[in-house]
Structure formats: structure tokens, C-alpha cells
Amino acid sequence: MRIVFMGTPEFAVPSLEALLKSAHQIVGIVTQPDRPKGRGQSLSSPPVKLVAQREGLPLLQPLKIKTPDFLDALASWQPDLIAVTAFGRILHAPILNLPPMGCVNVHGSLLPKYRGAAPVQWAVINGETETGITTMLMDEGMDTGPILLQERIPILPEDTAGTLAPRLAVLGGRLLVETIAQLKAGTLAARQQDHAQATMAPLLKKEDGLLDWGMNAQALAHRVRGLSPWPGAYTFSGQERWNIWRAVALHEPAQDVPGTIAEVTKHSLKVATGNGTLELLEIQTANSKRMSVGQFLAGHRLTPGGRFGAVAN
RNA sequence: CGCGGGGUGGAGCAGCCUGGUAGCUCGUUGGGCUCAUAACCCAAAGGUCAGAGGUUCAAAUCCUCUCCCCGCAA
């Protein structure tokens, strides 16, 4: 089968790799344009582009999707099917209708739960113990198309969005190939999503990382995991921004105003929350690298009673 | 040339402004105490102060350049 692959970040790479190992012919790849990144402002290539170049495959990086030029280019590849994993743009009808077998999307959640751009992060933030991959036939909505295949995967207690995403991505690749095989064989029946059960997983912004100490300790711990490695959970100590990379909720009830440093020993740092105590395990201050609380406390003197919270300005 | 912070024994930091004996909290090693311990006590080892040049009687500290790391912003 002639397949066009559309995808952009690291999460999309295993999908592409899986297709490359399959018997299908990848006739073209579409990814987002190079963008300025990093400390300088140098352009960097999306991970999918690097794979395309390695394989010497035809590549498009359209600035705009809804142009006749792009549609013509796509059509010239004559795809039977378009596979989409984390491309980063909504596809409109002219593209969706182009391939005879339709557009198949790999989504990182058990749809209809967690529709949107950040399904992995939100599943962890909400303390889910399992999530999964859904393949679906795309329509014009945001992850609203009929479901093709679905497979579950556990979320481990120590999982962050950063550790969970690669496992989901690999599963996504496997399920994508399986989905295409069954579509080709005609043994797969798409079934409509139960839209009443739908929840959203909107794109995270930097500000979403700011911790609200009024929440309960368990919810904060989940948030720290779900926001790692991006955008990162953070709070303020005075004017200084501190990232919290690992934390665990304790059963000890909070005695102080939420955000108050409740206890400091040589190796531990405990903070009062709206309900319960949060022990910080790995942190990162303004211009330093992330480090364990033990390391941090070796060089910094903290005293109980200090307050974390939003910066006042 | 997007903005800013930093590089000091193995780790994390102070010292720099106002040049003049290398400091703190840990870790490591040895010893002691203890039923015991990530606890406590005693002692020891371990540093070209990122690198190069300059100023000076004297540079971790002041000046110039280079390399590397980090945060913001995207």
C-alpha cells in the first residue's frame, strides 16, 4: 500500500519506524517546519524530519496546510492511506478525503477520554492508573473520529509524562501497523465514540506548571509527575522560581498554611499543602541544574516556616 | 549577535564588590560510641579556584579573550 506519514515530535517517530519496517511503501512524509529552538536561536529539525532524511524519503514541511499547493503535492504522491501521529495541526476535509482508505490517527489515550494535544500528561496529572493507544479514522473534529483499535497500558506509580510517553509511542507504532493490516484485510469495523463520555486534554502552557499549594498533597504529586519534563512543575521562593521534579505525598496532616516549609532535615524537605504534606525529592533552582533534595540542602540553608507560592508582583 | 545566571577537593555551596594563610554542609577513609542506625563523637586524605593572557610586590578575587554548563524566551 502507498502510505503518506504525517507527524512531528519524538512521539511520532516509533509510528514511522514501524511503518518503515512493514511491507508498505512510504511514499512521502509531512512534518512541521523547522523552528528556532534552544539558547541561541538556531533552527532545529523535528525528529520525524531527521528520520525522513536518514531514509531519503520525500519530505514536505508546509507552513500552511490549507493551500492548493500543499494539497496538490499530497495528491501527487497518490496515497492509499495517510497515517497521522502527533502532527500538530487539524486536517481539513480536502486532505481527509484525499486517500481512498482515509486518514488513520494514532492517539495517546483511550478515546473518548483525553481528546486533544496533551493526553499523556493529563492522564498522569489526573492520577490515572492506566491509559492506552487508540487508532481511529479521522474526521474534522478534534480526535472525534470512529475508533478502529484500542490497547491499554498501565501507568506505573513512578511514571512521569516523560517516562510514559515512549512506551505509548512504541505501542502506537505497533497498533498503527496492526490497524492498517486489518483495514486492508477488511476485517475491521470502525465504531463511533461515545461522545457523552468525552474529556479534553488541552495543550499545556508554561503557566500550567505553577503549583497551587491549596490542592491536596496527592493531587500535587500527580501534577509534578504529569508536568515532567514539560512544562515542569514550579513554585516561587521569594522572587526565585524553583522547579519541582519529583515529590511524594505523605499521610502526615498539614499543620501550617499551604506552601509553608514544614520540616527540613539533612535529606528531606516537607511542605504543607491544602490537605496533607508533600515531600520534595528533586528540585531545581533558578540557574542551577536539577538535583536531589539531599544535594540541594548540602549547599543551601532552609528553615521551617518559609513559604512557597506565587510570586507577588 | 534574543535576555540573564554559573564553572572553587568526589557532590552541593560561601569567599569575589573592598586583591594578602582555601572556608561551609555532606560524601569518602580510619578510629570511637551504640543492641542498632541514613544518628552521634574524633581524626585523615583529597583543590592546576574551567583555560589562556594582562595589571600588580601579591590574583579565586580586578581587566581581556576562549571553552563548557544552566535558567528565561521560542
Side-chain angles (χ1 to χ4, degrees):
Chain A
M1 242 177 13
R2 297 175 62 85
I3 295 177
V4 165
F5 181 77
M6 301 178 71
T8 303
E10 205 59 49
F11 189 83
V13 170
S15 289
L16 176 53
E17 300 277 16
L19 288 176
L20 288 167
K21 284 181 192 153
S22 73
H24 302 294
Q25 185 184 359
I26 310 302
V27 296
I29 291 176
V30 184
T31 194
Q32 298 262 350
D34 293 7
R35 299 199 191 286
K37 194 181 175 184
R39 204 159 290 117
Q41 72 274 1
S42 51
L43 286 179
S44 80
S45 303
V48 164
K49 177 182 181 178
L50 299 179
V51 177
Q53 291 176 328
R54 187 193 73 203
E55 300 291 327
L57 293 166
L59 177 72
L60 288 177
Q61 295 182 276
L63 280 169
K64 293 193 168 197
I65 300 296
K66 296 183 178 181
T67 64
D69 282 354
F70 175 61
L71 197 60
D72 289 347
L74 262 188
S76 73
W77 283 341
Q78 300 178 3
D80 298 307
L81 180 148
I82 296 180
V84 183
T85 303
F87 176 61
R89 292 285 176 82
I90 300 280
L91 304 185
H92 64 318
I95 295 175
L96 298 174
N97 296 332
L98 182 67
M101 297 187 66
C103 295
V104 173
N105 180 235
V106 175
H107 186 77
S109 79
L110 299 170
L111 291 172
K113 299 290 186 191
Y114 300 109
R115 292 173 174 172
V120 183
Q121 289 91 328
W122 281 106
V124 177
I125 288 171
N126 288 335
E128 302 280 0
T129 56
E130 73 168 9
T131 183
I133 290 287
T134 302
T135 56
M136 61 169 178
L137 275 175
M138 297 176 74
D139 61 18
E140 288 189 87
M142 169 78 86
D143 301 319
T144 51
I147 294 172
L148 295 168
L149 289 179
Q150 212 161 48
E151 189 166 323
R152 295 168 184 274
I153 195 175
I155 298 178
L156 307 176
E158 296 288 309
D159 261 330
T160 66
T163 61
L164 176 58
R167 298 208 304 276
L168 280 170
V170 169
L171 174 60
R174 189 155 59 73
L175 214 57
L176 174 61
V177 171
E178 174 68 21
T179 299
I180 294 173
Q182 292 193 28
L183 274 178
K184 188 180 177 187
T187 58
L188 192 54
R191 58 188 163 85
Q192 286 298 317
Q193 293 188 30
D194 180 356
H195 298 293
Q197 295 296 312
T199 61
M200 296 302 292
L203 188 66
L204 288 167
K205 297 190 291 282
K206 199 75 190 176
E207 309 85 81
D208 293 319
L210 181 62
L211 293 178
D212 173 4
W213 293 104
M215 295 173 70
N216 73 65
Q218 187 62 64
L220 285 166
H222 288 152
R223 245 186 133 72
V224 167
R225 293 194 296 133
L227 294 168
S228 169
W230 199 93
Y234 61 91
T235 188
F236 284 92
S237 175
Q239 292 289 315
E240 213 177 63
R241 206 180 107 160
W242 290 18
N243 272 37
I244 314 292
W245 290 113
R246 280 202 308 129
V248 59
L250 304 179
H251 295 304
E252 307 168 16
Q255 307 285 351
D256 304 292
V257 178
T260 305
I261 297 175
E263 184 184 323
V264 181
T265 71
K266 281 180 185 171
H267 308 92
S268 77
L269 175 57
K270 299 178 183 178
V271 182
T273 72
N275 182 9
T277 300
L278 191 71
E279 176 170 6
L280 310 187
L281 300 177
E282 187 176 16
I283 62 182
Q284 177 176 30
T285 57
N287 295 306
S288 181
K289 50 186 73 171
R290 64 167 71 180
M291 63 183 84
S292 71
V293 162
Q295 282 182 310
F296 175 80
L297 291 174
H300 301 80
R301 209 151 283 286
L302 285 186
T303 52
R307 285 282 294 281
F308 291 124
V311 67
N313 61 0

